[in-house]
Amino acid sequence: MRPRRPRTRGAVAALAGTLLALSAGQTAVAARATAADPVTATATTVSTAQDRAARAIARSLTDSTWRARVQRAALTSADVPVTALAARAAGPLKATLAAADQRIAAAKGLDAKAGSLLRLRLGADGMRTALSSGTAPWVAAATSDDDTRTLVAYDRHGRAHTLDAHDPPARPVYVVDIDGSAALAAGLDVLSDRLNRYGLRSTAPHAQPQVGRSAGARTAGGGFWTSRITAVELSDDEEPWAKGDAEIYTLVTGFGQDGAVRVDPVDMPYLDNDGTVYRPNQVLVNWANYKYDLADAVMMEEDGSTNYRDLAKAIATALLTITDQGTYIPLVNAVLDAIPDDWWTDDPDYVDSWYTLARSDTGTRYGARGNGWMTVEPYFVQEL
């Protein structure tokens, strides 16, 4: 959901060393092209599964009783769990949607704990009147591409109709989408677990902060220092009406107590819309986990086609080549360069980054990309 710009290439030597280690004798271009193939496969699988689900739901609306049931659900809920709704549908719809759900979860590298991900919602609030008055709805799969100009919707006879992606139609349209919050929560757990397996320390987003042994982070009173976000805003931009809210997360990086690089994913489920100031009072950095009083933050958006196992591998491959030299080394560029080029065309979107966040920072810090700002303050967490 963010305007994308070309990446600034940093940490070139680290990246080149990584690529050579992965495949001796291959050029960097060939290695990165190979790395991009799984990304393309993930995006294709997810979009194809969503499109099949949209077509199946559209055709199912020939049944008037079922059509009325879907209408009631769409008018009373912002997001309708598709597979739960289809449990009462006749014919093969239930099996078709369950299969699409499973393909999406597998393509994103998620396990069974992610649950059902497919959701159905009304494309825009302005469509409610037409839907309530009996206008036959069409069904479209959500797009993950900010730059798309058109999208395809299906009527109940299976016919395809091309719609303007930025101008909502007068006709009501159901949008089949992924539950981004559930996918991101499950994905960050997978990311954290995989990073730990690769040898990069990482705390799961939902885990309780652990008090470290650092004298600077922990006090005699049994607490520890953190940096928390008191306010945050991301830039405004125009995007497709069928896309839905943003799903934002931040990768906090630095050197752990053992001197090795660590990555801590931070879920930011409240950051739904651009141009809105949010005041979450959310802990961003737990300084008890870090050796130095400096850390970096890379903010990303999950757009639906991210494979979290591939993301963990790409990040670990780059960061494991970086060692503690006795002084803090910024890690933002290494994280950005680790992500294959194709991931910057759609998923995951790079939102912004903050270099050298300090434990003593108080006030507003603007992102290096100029796409957002956040106000931070030191916050002491007292042990119970």
Side-chain angles (χ1 to χ4, degrees):
M1 296 178 74
R2 316 294 156 208
R4 290 182 290 274
R5 305 171 190 168
R7 285 183 288 168
T8 301
R9 290 288 176 179
V12 175
L15 178 60
T18 298
L19 294 173
L20 288 173
L22 281 171
S23 182
Q26 290 186 332
T27 65
V29 173
R32 291 183 72 81
T34 300
D37 289 342
V39 180
T40 303
T42 296
T44 300
T45 300
V46 171
S47 62
T48 299
Q50 286 183 244
D51 187 73
R52 288 177 179 173
R55 279 184 291 171
I57 293 172
R59 287 182 177 275
S60 74
L61 297 179
T62 54
D63 183 315
S64 60
T65 302
W66 168 246
R67 185 168 64 249
R69 186 179 299 156
V70 176
Q71 176 181 316
R72 286 194 300 271
L75 288 173
T76 56
S77 178
D79 286 290
V80 181
V82 170
T83 51
L85 183 66
R88 300 172 61 187
L93 181 61
K94 178 181 178 181
T96 299
L97 296 179
D101 235 335
Q102 292 170 3
R103 282 193 293 269
I104 290 171
K108 292 175 67 62
L110 304 178
D111 53 33
K113 291 187 295 184
S116 176
L117 296 177
L118 281 175
R119 295 291 186 271
L120 180 144
R121 55 182 167 80
L122 194 59
D125 284 340
M127 300 173 180
R128 298 179 67 86
T129 300
L131 181 63
S132 299
S133 65
T135 302
W138 292 345
V139 186
T143 177
S144 63
D145 186 356
D146 294 345
D147 301 323
T148 190
R149 296 182 179 180
T150 62
L151 67 152
V152 176
Y154 301 97
D155 62 29
R156 58 189 178 186
H157 302 293
R159 294 176 300 212
H161 304 268
T162 301
L163 302 178
D164 188 304
H166 292 276
D167 186 14
R171 177 182 291 275
V173 178
Y174 295 142
V175 176
V176 177
D177 204 352
I178 294 174
D179 184 341
S181 296
L184 180 57
L188 292 184
D189 281 343
V190 170
L191 178 64
S192 180
D193 176 68
R194 288 281 160 170
L195 289 174
N196 280 313
R197 293 189 187 191
Y198 285 125
L200 283 177
R201 289 188 179 275
S202 179
T203 301
H206 56 75
Q208 293 296 320
Q210 297 298 312
V211 178
R213 294 185 295 273
S214 169
R218 186 177 181 178
T219 69
F224 54 93
W225 283 100
T226 69
S227 287
R228 72 174 179 180
I229 304 170
T230 58
V232 59
E233 181 184 17
L234 302 179
S235 298
D236 190 24
D237 67 298
E238 182 183 356
E239 62 187 21
W241 54 268
K243 189 170 183 181
D245 291 336
E247 299 297 341
I248 301 296
Y249 63 101
T250 296
L251 301 177
V252 177
T253 64
F255 290 90
Q257 296 294 331
D258 58 359
V261 174
R262 67 176 293 129
V263 180
D264 293 311
V266 179
D267 193 358
M268 309 177 90
Y270 51 87
L271 260 175
D272 290 334
N273 300 305
D274 302 327
T276 301
V277 177
Y278 295 91
R279 304 183 185 279
N281 287 327
Q282 180 185 29
V283 170
L284 179 66
V285 186
N286 173 16
W287 294 106
N289 290 330
Y290 293 90
K291 176 179 179 179
Y292 300 105
D293 285 348
L294 294 171
D296 295 333
V298 179
M299 188 178 288
M300 310 289 289
E301 179 189 358
E302 208 280 351
D303 260 345
S305 301
T306 309
N307 184 304
Y308 289 93
R309 294 172 188 258
D310 290 344
L311 178 59
K313 183 177 181 179
I315 291 173
T317 299
L319 296 187
L320 285 172
T321 66
I322 301 174
T323 58
D324 181 14
Q325 302 297 318
T327 184
Y328 185 75
I329 303 171
L331 300 173
V332 169
N333 287 355
V335 172
L336 299 185
D337 284 334
I339 299 175
D341 286 336
D342 277 10
W343 291 28
W344 298 89
T345 60
D346 265 331
D347 308 311
D349 284 348
Y350 167 44
V351 178
D352 216 326
S353 51
W354 285 261
Y355 291 75
T356 57
L357 288 169
R359 181 163 69 93
S360 60
D361 278 352
T362 301
T364 300
R365 289 284 308 268
Y366 289 88
R369 187 184 180 189
N371 198 34
W373 60 265
M374 58 184 173
T375 301
V376 296
E377 66 177 12
Y379 180 71
F380 185 72
V381 178
Q382 182 69 53
E383 279 192 312
L384 294 176

